[in-house]
Amino acid sequence: MSMTGTPTAATDTLPTGLLIGGEWVTGSSGGTYDHIYPADGRPNATVELAGDAEIDAAVRSAWQAHREWISYTPERRRDLMIALADAMRDDIERLGRLNVHDFAVPIVMSPGHAALAEGFIRYYAGYVDKATGTSTPVSNKFDVNLIEHEPYGVVGIIAPWNGPLVVIGLNVAAALAAGNAVVLKPSEISPFTPLRFGELCLQVGMPPGLVNVVPSGPDGGAALVRHPGVRKIHFTGGGHTARAIITTAAANLTPVATELGGKSANIVFADADLDAAARLAAFQGPLGQAGQSCACGSRILVEAAVYDEFMAKFLAVVAAAPVGDPFDPGNLVGPVVSQAATDRILQVIDRAVADRMGELVTGGHRLGGDLAAGYYLEPTVFADVDNRSPLAQNETFGPVVSVMRFTDEAQAVAIANDTTFGLNAFVQTTDLTRAHRIARQLESGSVWINRNSDISPQSPYGGYKQSGTGRAGGLEGLREFQQVKNIRIGMP
């Protein structure tokens, strides 16, 4: 790990209001939030927070916009979504910079989030005039039996702080293509890119209120979930919050789809390209987004015959990764999101050391020097971890990974599946037959073989077990935001 100093964050105009019905709203009933830039620990904006009144106004505005949206021809809606994708492409530099201001994701990664969102919007635009219903035969062979897919109307989408642009791509794009209007509630920690996205929706000519953006904390989220005008909720985040959302939504029987956390296994077999496997394990693990990703491969399972060789290569990659100012394109690793996250992650590390859950081989501390004011943690690796330990079972959401040994395929699969999560799994091997065999045994919504988790619009993405319900991407993602109607016409 190499370190570089953190200069003052670049000066950019940061959007801080609420966007409701095509208008900027300030003086909101939810108060304000002093947004802290994680790289230097200093406030960089005061953000308006939506309260009950603003959530209600957003839902009402969304219903009005929904009626206008579905009155458009499919071709017009398609073309507006394509125009939105074009606008995001043209705005990618600004979106990338705002993403850094949001939660200090390194600038070398940040535009990729915007590009992913653009790609999903462009993909789902293609479905607007092509996703059809069906006609099926029934007992009376002369009847016409139609099965149609209709929008819910207004959906609430709750985005996490660690990837608002990703959620815009995976969920907002599909909701719009399905014919819905959206109330998008980003975290108060990362409001800037969602607000800019809302501006772009208006700039390309989408109806005001089709996408309302209402940054807020838990209170605003609860108001959105319990609002009787919201017909479906999609939530991306942690299991604890998901349980609270599902409980609140039950009062109105509002359906809820979720994409939750992970404790993903990365299985490295002895026949793998160990240099490539070490790089992938490092950047899919403690280095990529400082481990603050639901897709993090935080449990690395290595075949015993190559364990020592792999560890040497892996630790060398971790040690060489430059950590520092997220706006410096030479840096690959930035800070974690907050002081609270810093304290929590260090407590996880200290407990793992004290309880001998594994051997701490590198990292484990907060970085000082020029980086002391920010929330920088050393990429941290524990070796020979007990998979039954809290370190291996609980999502850390930071730059901490557990490495463990296995002796054969059966043991590797057993360890990988021994978790309450099931979002991603990774397999490193040159034996394609083995790869197929292992993939079908892994209890995971996605299995990535010899590659990182590169989410694509064409493929459904989501979890097994406590990693969530529902899917994003592909036709399955579109259907998440549609309800099914049967129309049967009796013929004389």
Side-chain angles (χ1 to χ4, degrees):
M1 175 190 63
S2 59
M3 296 166 48
T4 64
T6 304
T8 303
T11 301
D12 290 297
T13 301
L14 305 179
T16 58
L18 310 176
L19 197 55
I20 299 174
E23 302 289 339
W24 287 107
V25 175
T26 57
S28 55
S29 64
T32 60
Y33 171 77
D34 289 332
H35 186 277
I36 305 298
Y37 180 53
D40 60 18
R42 296 186 293 186
N44 62 350
T46 299
V47 178
E48 296 279 343
L49 299 179
D52 286 11
E54 291 75 31
I55 295 296
D56 182 64
V59 173
R60 292 177 183 275
S61 173
W63 272 111
Q64 189 173 18
H66 162 67
R67 287 186 282 271
E68 181 177 352
W69 185 236
I70 60 171
S71 75
Y72 293 174
T73 64
E75 294 82 4
R76 185 177 178 187
R77 283 185 277 131
R78 176 201 64 203
D79 291 347
L80 281 168
M81 289 192 66
I82 292 172
L84 179 59
D86 290 343
M88 292 194 72
R89 179 197 60 207
D90 295 342
D91 204 49
I92 193 167
E93 182 178 353
R94 183 176 180 189
L95 286 167
R97 294 179 67 81
L98 290 176
N99 210 28
V100 180
H101 286 291
D102 270 330
F103 65 105
V105 60
I107 194 68
V108 294
M109 296 174 57
S110 187
H113 291 202
L116 181 146
E118 177 216 329
F120 269 82
I121 293 167
R122 199 176 299 280
Y123 172 81
Y124 277 116
Y127 263 123
V128 173
D129 61 346
K130 300 178 185 69
T132 60
T134 57
S135 175
T136 61
V138 288
S139 54
N140 184 340
K141 64 181 180 180
F142 297 108
D143 281 7
V144 177
N145 189 54
L146 304 177
I147 300 169
E148 297 190 350
H149 299 272
E150 297 185 342
Y152 282 93
V154 171
V155 298
I157 297 179
I158 302 176
W161 58 260
N162 68 315
L165 281 170
V166 175
V167 165
I168 285 168
L170 270 66
N171 305 129
V172 177
L176 294 176
N180 300 283
V182 173
V183 179
L184 173 61
K185 192 215 82 67
S187 167
E188 72 277 25
I189 296 173
S190 53
F192 306 131
T193 49
L195 288 166
R196 178 58 182 160
F197 170 75
E199 286 185 309
L200 294 176
C201 291
L202 294 170
Q203 287 180 16
V204 302
M206 287 184 164
L210 187 69
V211 177
N212 299 281
V213 186
V214 285
S216 62
D219 291 346
L224 181 63
V225 172
R226 66 173 176 261
H227 198 290
V230 176
R231 298 289 173 82
K232 184 166 187 176
I233 292 289
H234 192 289
F235 169 74
T236 302
H240 176 77
T241 304
R243 291 180 181 92
I245 287 172
I246 291 168
T247 300
T248 300
N252 293 322
L253 297 179
T254 305
V256 179
T258 60
E259 195 265 274
L260 307 177
K263 197 70 181 179
S264 301
N266 181 1
I267 305 172
V268 181
F269 285 97
D271 67 336
D273 178 338
L274 295 185
D275 290 314
R279 290 191 298 271
L280 188 147
F283 287 99
Q284 190 70 53
L287 303 183
Q289 213 161 290
Q292 300 172 116
S293 167
C294 59
C296 179
S298 54
R299 292 184 302 145
I300 304 171
L301 284 53
V302 184
E303 192 166 358
V306 295
Y307 185 91
D308 292 340
E309 182 182 359
F310 170 84
M311 283 297 288
K313 294 176 181 292
F314 173 60
L315 292 173
V317 176
V318 171
V323 180
D325 174 24
F327 276 106
D328 182 343
N331 289 327
L332 300 178
V333 185
V336 298
V337 72
S338 66
Q339 181 65 55
T342 301
D343 294 341
R344 176 184 55 78
I345 295 164
L346 289 174
Q347 288 174 5
V348 168
I349 294 169
D350 290 345
R351 182 184 173 192
V353 172
D355 293 352
R356 299 181 180 179
M357 299 178 196
E359 178 191 359
L360 177 62
V361 293
T362 190
H365 301 95
R366 185 170 181 171
L367 291 169
D370 291 338
L371 303 180
Y375 309 127
Y376 292 90
L377 296 177
E378 294 176 325
T380 300
V381 179
F382 283 87
D384 293 312
V385 173
D386 180 356
N387 191 58
R388 297 165 296 178
S389 69
L391 180 64
Q393 290 294 315
N394 299 332
E395 189 176 33
T396 305
F397 226 68
V400 181
V401 294
S402 303
V403 189
M404 51 200 82
R405 304 170 193 252
F406 69 88
T407 56
D408 57 30
E409 287 185 14
Q411 186 183 25
V413 170
I415 294 172
N417 288 339
D418 185 17
T419 173
T420 59
F421 296 106
L423 187 59
N424 292 283
F426 305 86
V427 180
Q428 319 303 321
T429 179
T430 55
D431 184 337
L432 187 58
T433 301
R434 166 188 278 161
H436 280 286
R437 184 168 61 240
I438 296 293
R440 281 165 173 74
Q441 297 176 67
L442 292 171
E443 297 170 354
S444 176
S446 295
V447 179
W448 310 89
I449 297 170
N450 298 328
R451 66 157 303 119
N452 66 322
S453 58
D454 183 16
I455 301 172
S456 64
Q458 299 83 1
S459 306
Y461 184 75
Y464 282 14
K465 300 188 281 189
Q466 293 186 29
S467 286
T469 58
R471 291 295 182 269
L475 181 60
E476 293 86 352
L478 184 76
R479 296 300 190 219
E480 283 294 332
F481 295 99
Q482 294 177 319
Q483 47 196 345
V484 180
K485 176 179 285 184
N486 177 221
I487 301 173
R488 184 164 169 176
I489 305 170
M491 305 300 284

